[in-house]
Amino acid sequence: MNTKIKVLLAEDELALAQIIKESLETRNFDVLHCKNGQEAFDVYIKENPDILVLDVMMPIKDGFSVAKDVRKVNKSVPILFLTAKSQTQDVVEGFSVGGNDYLKKPFSMEELIVRIHSLLGRIISKNIDEAVSVGMYLFHPIKQTLVFDDKTENLTHREAALLHLLLENKNEIIERAVILKKIWGDTDFFSGRSMDVFITKLRKKLSLDAAVQIINIRSQGYKLIC
């Protein structure tokens, strides 16, 4: 079972938004559609999507403004801009406010999907495709699943990336700063709080095997014991 990629789509052209949403959902994406920039930021805070696809020209807040606000709380979540603009200065501005990629309208759905997978693929290397043991669990990094007996638990992209990093260094302390730099791209306060939340989520998902523990080493970092 593959976990769905959660996409926040901010697009005020409703006909185009519906086409994108339906096309992505037929390809196993979970799409949260927002009609303006303010709604997009509010939904981002509430839902914590895997990636943001933002139209540049939107009411209330434009896509660049949304990206600026998102980057204040998360430095690494992928942001893809959709735009009818093609001037060099607009492209430069998009990257300067924290965008990771830029797709000019009109575009094909296949191109959008390739761009999304490319951005998310930076979190976990694509050559890690075999399942690995985590205690009594079987972890599939690319499928982003944990299997315990006949129970399958889906992971988000970031949960899978975090578990993989911990597993690479199992039974050893990984400094907080190292984890934050590799997965969050920043060591600021908000990234640190986000990491702690994800550690808690992983502990819960690994709780069926008492021999598997993620230990907090005070003032240092975390250690996966298994």
Side-chain angles (χ1 to χ4, degrees):
M1 182 188 301
N2 292 328
T3 187
K4 289 187 177 183
I5 297 170
K6 186 185 291 188
V7 179
L8 190 156
L9 170 66
E11 172 61 69
D12 64 319
E13 294 181 36
L14 298 185
L16 175 59
Q18 189 65 25
I19 292 172
I20 295 173
K21 179 176 168 62
E22 290 179 356
S23 297
L24 289 178
E25 287 177 342
T26 62
R27 293 167 171 84
N28 205 38
F29 290 84
D30 181 14
V31 182
L32 307 168
H33 173 233
C34 303
K35 299 182 287 296
N36 62 68
Q38 184 59 57
E39 181 186 356
F41 183 70
D42 292 343
V43 171
Y44 165 75
I45 293 297
K46 180 181 178 182
E47 298 290 341
N48 190 32
D50 297 305
I51 187 169
L52 288 81
V53 179
L54 306 176
D55 184 31
V56 171
M57 300 299 294
M58 291 187 291
I60 306 180
K61 271 186 181 181
D62 63 25
F64 292 156
S65 297
V66 176
K68 287 179 182 178
D69 289 343
V70 168
R71 286 295 178 237
K72 291 176 184 176
V73 297
N74 189 317
K75 303 293 185 185
S76 60
V77 63
I79 297 176
L80 170 64
F81 287 118
L82 304 178
T83 181
K85 298 182 176 182
S86 59
Q87 291 88 344
T88 301
Q89 61 267 29
D90 295 316
V91 176
V92 171
E93 183 178 359
F95 286 112
S96 69
V97 298
N100 301 103
D101 206 351
Y102 213 94
L103 193 55
K104 186 179 180 298
K105 299 176 182 178
F107 53 85
S108 71
M109 287 306 306
E110 292 306 320
E111 183 177 7
L112 174 60
I113 291 168
V114 166
R115 299 286 187 99
I116 289 173
H117 280 302
S118 177
L119 288 173
L120 291 172
R122 294 173 188 172
I123 299 176
I124 300 177
S125 173
K126 290 301 181 186
N127 61 5
I128 309 163
D129 54 4
E130 63 273 0
V132 290
S133 296
V134 184
M136 296 177 67
Y137 288 86
L138 200 58
F139 170 45
H140 297 262
I142 296 303
K143 291 181 180 179
Q144 298 166 203
T145 58
L146 274 173
V147 181
F148 186 90
D149 290 337
D150 59 350
K151 176 180 172 61
T152 298
E153 183 82 55
N154 292 323
L155 303 176
T156 66
H157 291 274
R158 186 156 288 170
E159 286 170 345
L162 178 55
L163 179 56
H164 182 260
L165 180 59
L166 289 167
L167 190 59
E168 281 186 321
N169 299 273
K170 68 179 180 179
N171 301 318
E172 297 179 3
I173 299 172
I174 312 178
E175 295 181 5
R176 289 179 62 88
V178 172
I179 300 173
L180 288 168
K181 274 292 185 183
K182 285 192 173 184
I183 298 179
W184 274 262
D186 204 303
T187 58
D188 63 14
F189 172 78
F190 295 105
S191 298
R193 290 295 299 275
S194 177
M195 178 180 67
D196 294 339
V197 169
F198 274 85
I199 289 288
T200 299
K201 290 179 178 179
L202 277 181
R203 283 173 174 153
K204 183 177 180 181
K205 292 183 176 181
L206 291 165
S207 62
L208 294 176
D209 184 353
V212 177
Q213 299 181 59
I214 301 175
I215 305 297
N216 180 15
I217 310 300
R218 191 174 183 85
S219 301
Q220 294 185 54
Y222 289 102
K223 179 194 290 189
L224 173 66
I225 298 175
C226 64

